[in-house]
Amino acid sequence: RHFLVGGAPAALPTIEDIYAWIFKIYSAAKMSAECNIIALIYINRSLALSGMPLGAFNWRPVTLIALILAQKVWDDTSVRASCFSSICPEYSKDQIKRYEIAFLRNLEYSGAVTRELYTRYYFELRDLFEMANHGHVFPLGVLTQKRAEQLEISSCGFRMQKRRKRRKEKKMRSPG
């Protein structure tokens, strides 16, 4: 449960730490609740594709970037990187942009979320919530058919948009 950095131990976050971090971002950015589920999908996909472990020193930026990307896919309007750097002042606008590019590479630029995948995560989270909260009702409703279709369309469009961005990045990095 502890990692050493420069000889000093760093504790893994508690559930309360994680909740407080996500809630701070979620509420300040006025995200829709569905963004949390999409962000979880992105985190799991990134970890699976990259083989990168989630630990004491990377869980915050990974979660932040997953939430940012989820908001870009799901919400009609998304918050700019400069606003996220004011919500999370420990990260500059440039750091957030670099983290976003790295995270997108880990995702292999795949932001697509099918309704089946979203639904599976939704019900797993709902079951965990209700078990932990002794039968209290999960605060997020099931996606309607129309919203599920919108999710698939917008998340597939996200993939294409990021491919164009990746080509543009390569051109900017190549000499002359």
Side-chain angles (χ1 to χ4, degrees):
R1 294 213 29 103
H2 289 80
F3 293 93
L4 290 178
V5 170
L12 289 173
T14 64
I15 292 171
E16 292 78 18
D17 294 335
I18 296 167
Y19 176 82
W21 174 255
I22 292 171
F23 186 77
K24 174 179 88 167
I25 297 165
Y26 164 81
S27 58
K30 296 178 176 58
M31 294 181 172
S32 61
E34 292 86 357
C35 289
N36 293 297
I37 294 174
I38 296 166
L40 179 59
I41 291 168
Y42 288 162
I43 291 168
N44 284 342
R45 184 179 294 164
S46 174
L47 298 178
L49 291 173
S50 70
M52 174 185 68
L54 194 59
F57 298 103
N58 68 349
W59 74 270
R60 286 179 191 258
V62 166
T63 304
L64 172 63
I65 300 306
L67 286 165
I68 290 171
L69 295 177
Q71 186 184 43
K72 287 180 179 182
V73 164
W74 185 252
D75 288 344
D76 292 333
T77 58
S78 59
V79 174
R80 300 175 62 91
S82 58
C83 293
F84 279 107
S85 65
S86 65
I87 295 168
C88 303
E90 57 268 55
Y91 303 110
S92 71
K93 180 176 125 180
D94 289 337
Q95 280 179 304
I96 290 172
K97 287 181 176 184
R98 282 194 308 273
Y99 288 149
E100 185 177 353
I101 291 167
F103 194 85
L104 286 166
R105 284 188 193 122
N106 287 348
L107 286 176
E108 298 176 0
Y109 292 86
S110 176
V113 177
T114 64
R115 67 187 88 188
E116 293 83 10
L117 182 60
Y118 180 94
T119 301
R120 189 179 92 221
Y121 272 77
Y122 170 85
F123 283 110
E124 287 176 10
L125 285 172
R126 188 183 76 175
D127 290 348
L128 287 171
F129 176 88
E130 290 175 356
M131 283 190 317
N133 292 286
H134 309 291
H136 284 87
V137 178
F138 192 51
L140 177 61
V142 179
L143 279 185
T144 64
Q145 184 71 16
K146 183 178 180 183
R147 293 291 279 167
E149 289 170 7
Q150 288 173 331
L151 171 61
E152 286 186 345
I153 291 167
S154 63
S155 67
C156 287
F158 171 81
R159 179 185 176 111
M160 294 184 320
Q161 176 186 13
K162 294 304 173 184
R163 281 187 180 159
R164 286 192 296 271
K165 185 176 181 179
R166 181 173 55 181
R167 283 189 210 118
K168 186 177 176 182
E169 288 169 10
K170 283 183 182 179
K171 283 183 184 178
M172 289 172 54
R173 284 192 304 242
S174 64

